[in-house]
């Protein structure tokens, strides 16, 4: 095949995938999920329940879901299993959300699977409309697409991250062999409840009968809800601090060296190429989840398999270095709990002479709490806004930042590209620019810097 033909095919496939994304966007958006499962269940039933054709590790929580999902998937792949991975949201392209054997799904496979399921989605849309209900949402349709893609691949096991909550999240039509709960804190309170207990109750809805339940160390009220749900479904609880834990974590070149006590063995001198105590915790949770999936916690993971799986882990948008001199870091922390973990990681893992934060926050988030958490480690805030329609206007966000940091430490640059450039220009080579506050801003920053570097 000629180079011209290859380029033409590539462009055609990309255009087809872009049309899929456009059709998803035409549906009700992710920021307004419907608290219902039946429409997604009806769609997968019409497709022959593709989500039942492989094992499932189902992951929920407030923070750490995506990194834990990526770590677990990488270990399973190193073990020799063909893997699927569904995470949310994407940073640059929707293909990132559906990963097959470690690679984002190809444009062609995405478009072909969409074409296959489209008649069934439209059938469910028609039924819903006839009953006076909203048609399938963006995330409901995307979930059906992901499950169909995994069955088509086919995969042996899918690691599936919940979109929001758990009980009524559309991913919950899958029956997780292992249910994983990362740390639970206040977030999405308008959807999930105003207390940690209410939020935990919703998230514990992913626990299925006789499943293995792997949970991070939780606040007492969250743990009570998880325990209650597990007992109701006769599920086995595997708890951090009791059944597994990080025994040691120390800085190493390119990340950190860990010793983890798992369910089946203690694993020494593991190199994790991610920074921060929260990532060490995520790795321990992922290891316990994989042990639970492979042999209900009785089968140790082979040391070479675990070393290979961890070494291959990448978590884009999570304390990711995207430029140097000065170092530019992006991190998708978008609530106070995540921002606190980010601040600890910046202080503990790096030795920057100063940190300038480029920050943008969406209007349903606790902007005050996020900025307050970052304030101790940030010298200056450059306040901006992403292209999301839900972004807090930069001037409004700057007022919040000034209340916390003082007006002398706050600068406004409405356009993210200008904000990043301003922060870089005013930083010494040994300093850092940290882009954070919302996933949409981080995605834009990655695209801006990729264009600057000549990447596609």
């Amino acid at each position: 095949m000629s180079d011209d033909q290859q380029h033409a095919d590539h462009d055609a496939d990309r255009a087809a995938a872009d049309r899929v994304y456009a059709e998803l966007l035409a549906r009700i958006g992710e920021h307004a999920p419907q608290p219902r499962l039946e429409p997604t269940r009806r769609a997968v039933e019409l497709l022959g329940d593709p989500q039942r054709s492989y094992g499932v590790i189902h992951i929920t929580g407030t923070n750490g879901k995506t990194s834990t999902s990526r770590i677990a998937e990488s270990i399973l792949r190193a073990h020799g299993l063909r893997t699927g991975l569904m995470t949310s949201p994407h940073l640059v392209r929707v293909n990132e959300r559906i990963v097959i054997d470690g690679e984002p799904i190809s444009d062609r496979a995405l478009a072909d699977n969409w074409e296959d399921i489209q008649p069934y989605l439209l059938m469910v849309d028609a039924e819903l409309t006839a009953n006076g209900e909203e048609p399938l949402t963006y995330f409901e349709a995307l979930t059906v697409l992901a499950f169909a893609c995994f069955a088509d691949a086919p995969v042996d096991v899918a690691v599936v991250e919940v979109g929001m909550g758990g009980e009524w999240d559309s991913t919950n039509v899958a029956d997780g062999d292992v249910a994983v709960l990362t740390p639970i804190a206040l977030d999405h309170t308008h959807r999930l409840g105003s207390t940690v207990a209410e939020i935990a109750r919703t998230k514990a809805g992913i626990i299925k009968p006789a499943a293995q339940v792997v949970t991070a160390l939780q606040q007492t009220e969250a743990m009570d809800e998880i325990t209650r749900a597990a007992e109701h479904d006769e599920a086995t609880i595997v708890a951090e601090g009791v059944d597994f834990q990080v025994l040691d974590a120390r800085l190493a070149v390119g990340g950190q060296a860990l010793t983890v006590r798992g369910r089946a063995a203690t694993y020494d001198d593991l190199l994790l190429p991610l920074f921060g105590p929260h990532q060490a915790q995520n790795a321990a949770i992922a290891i316990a989840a994989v042990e639970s999936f492979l042999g209900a916690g009785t089968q140790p993971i082979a040391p070479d398999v675990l070393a290979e799986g961890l070494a291959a882990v990448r978590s884009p948008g999570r304390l990711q270095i995207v430029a140097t001199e000065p170092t530019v870091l992006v991190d998708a922390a978008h609530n106070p709990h995540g921002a606190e973990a980010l601040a600890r990681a910046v202080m503990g893992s790096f030795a920057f002479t100063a940190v300038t934060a480029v920050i943008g926050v969406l209007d349903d988030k606790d902007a005050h709490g996020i900025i307050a958490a970052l304030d101790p480690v940030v010298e200056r805030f450059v306040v901006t806004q992403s292209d999301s329609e839900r972004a807090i206007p930069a001037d409004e966000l700057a007022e919040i930042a000034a209340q916390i940091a003082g007006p002398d430490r706050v600068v406004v640059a409405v356009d993210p590209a200008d904000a990043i450039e301003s922060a870089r220009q005013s930083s010494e080579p040994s300093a850092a620019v940290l882009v954070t506050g919302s996933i949409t801003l981080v995605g834009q920053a990655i695209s801006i810097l990729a264009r600057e570097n000549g990447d596609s």
Side-chain angles (χ1 to χ4, degrees):
M1 185 185 294
S2 70
D3 287 347
D4 286 348
Q5 185 58 52
Q6 284 183 324
H7 284 307
D9 289 348
H10 173 271
D11 290 347
D13 289 348
R14 191 168 183 111
D18 287 344
R19 282 194 296 274
V20 172
Y21 187 46
E23 289 179 30
L24 284 167
L25 286 175
R27 294 176 174 272
I28 296 169
E30 276 182 294
H31 62 281
Q34 303 294 301
R36 62 187 192 180
L37 264 187
E38 285 310 314
T40 310
R41 186 170 284 128
R42 172 69 172 146
V44 292
E45 282 174 354
L46 290 171
L47 286 165
D49 281 321
Q51 79 284 2
R52 298 194 192 283
S53 63
Y54 37 80
V56 173
I57 296 178
H58 202 181
I59 299 183
T60 190
T62 302
N63 290 299
K65 295 189 298 294
T66 301
S67 294
T68 302
S69 298
R70 291 184 185 281
I71 298 167
E73 183 276 334
S74 191
I75 298 169
L76 290 163
R77 187 158 32 92
H79 185 75
L81 296 174
R82 186 164 170 80
T83 56
L85 173 67
M86 180 183 180
T87 58
S88 299
H90 61 275
L91 292 170
V92 180
R93 299 198 77 225
V94 75
N95 305 54
E96 299 165 27
R97 298 188 181 214
I98 303 173
V99 175
I100 309 287
D101 241 14
E103 294 294 330
I105 192 166
S106 70
D107 289 332
R108 184 75 267 149
L110 186 76
D112 286 347
N113 278 285
W114 179 254
E115 189 175 329
D116 288 344
I117 71 169
Q118 184 79 324
Y120 302 96
L121 298 182
L122 295 175
M123 197 182 305
V124 176
D125 285 343
E127 291 174 359
L128 289 167
T129 304
N131 288 325
E133 296 181 55
E134 296 282 6
L136 289 165
T137 67
Y138 173 114
F139 192 72
E140 287 169 338
L142 182 68
T143 300
V144 177
L145 175 61
F147 288 151
C149 290
F150 294 153
D152 179 63
V155 303
D156 300 311
V157 54
V159 180
V160 177
E161 177 189 346
V162 161
M164 185 185 293
E167 180 183 13
W168 44 258
D169 186 80
S170 57
T171 62
N172 206 28
V173 298
D175 291 332
D177 303 277
V178 180
V180 179
L181 296 105
T182 66
I184 296 170
L186 293 176
D187 196 18
H188 298 295
T189 51
H190 61 300
R191 296 275 174 188
L192 304 180
S194 58
T195 66
V196 167
E198 288 176 315
I199 292 171
R201 193 175 310 136
T202 301
K203 292 182 185 292
I206 70 166
I207 296 171
K208 300 297 167 63
Q212 305 272 311
V213 181
V214 177
T215 178
L217 197 62
Q218 304 284 2
Q219 297 178 50
T220 303
E221 55 266 46
M223 196 65 206
D224 287 347
E225 294 296 337
I226 294 166
T227 302
R228 190 174 297 119
E231 288 175 349
H232 179 270
D233 282 310
E234 299 182 351
T236 302
I237 288 189
V238 180
E240 182 182 8
V242 177
D243 303 289
F244 68 94
Q245 67 187 116
V246 178
L247 295 179
D248 185 46
R250 56 196 183 280
L251 278 177
V253 176
Q256 52 190 317
L258 309 179
T259 298
V260 174
R261 176 171 66 85
R263 293 187 69 186
T266 295
Y267 307 97
D268 297 307
D269 297 321
L270 302 172
L271 180 61
L272 178 69
L274 303 174
F275 296 100
H278 60 298
Q279 294 291 15
Q281 180 189 35
N282 292 338
I285 295 167
I287 288 168
V290 172
E291 288 178 318
S292 300
F293 180 79
L294 292 177
T298 63
Q299 177 183 328
I301 304 169
D304 58 334
V305 166
L306 190 51
E308 179 188 335
L310 292 181
V313 170
R314 301 292 178 269
S315 200
R318 274 76 187 173
L319 215 54
Q320 177 187 356
I321 297 173
V322 290
T324 56
E325 295 189 342
T327 299
V328 180
L329 294 159
V330 295
D331 192 276
H334 55 279
N335 56 45
H337 187 269
E340 288 164 10
L342 171 58
R344 284 195 298 272
V346 169
M347 283 192 291
S349 303
F350 301 97
F352 299 123
T353 52
V355 177
T356 297
V358 174
I359 189 160
V361 182
L362 301 187
D363 61 13
D364 60 341
K365 299 297 179 182
D366 179 1
H368 189 282
I370 293 168
I371 294 168
L374 295 173
D375 183 57
V377 301
V378 170
E379 184 176 272
R380 195 168 65 103
F381 289 92
V382 180
V383 176
T384 188
Q385 63 191 74
S386 71
D387 59 10
S388 170
E389 62 188 22
R390 295 185 293 136
I392 296 174
D395 289 340
E396 187 179 319
L397 186 60
E399 290 179 13
I400 297 171
Q403 291 169 12
I404 297 161
D408 294 346
R409 291 170 58 206
V410 178
V411 175
V412 177
V414 176
D415 180 75
D418 293 341
I420 293 167
E421 183 60 21
S422 169
R424 293 172 83 183
Q425 289 295 333
S426 61
S427 297
E428 298 176 351
S430 56
V433 174
L434 173 63
V435 184
T436 191
S438 83
I439 294 167
T440 53
L441 177 62
V442 165
Q444 275 185 261
I446 291 172
S447 296
I448 289 163
L449 291 160
R451 285 196 299 271
E452 181 181 298
N453 295 330
D455 300 335
S456 59

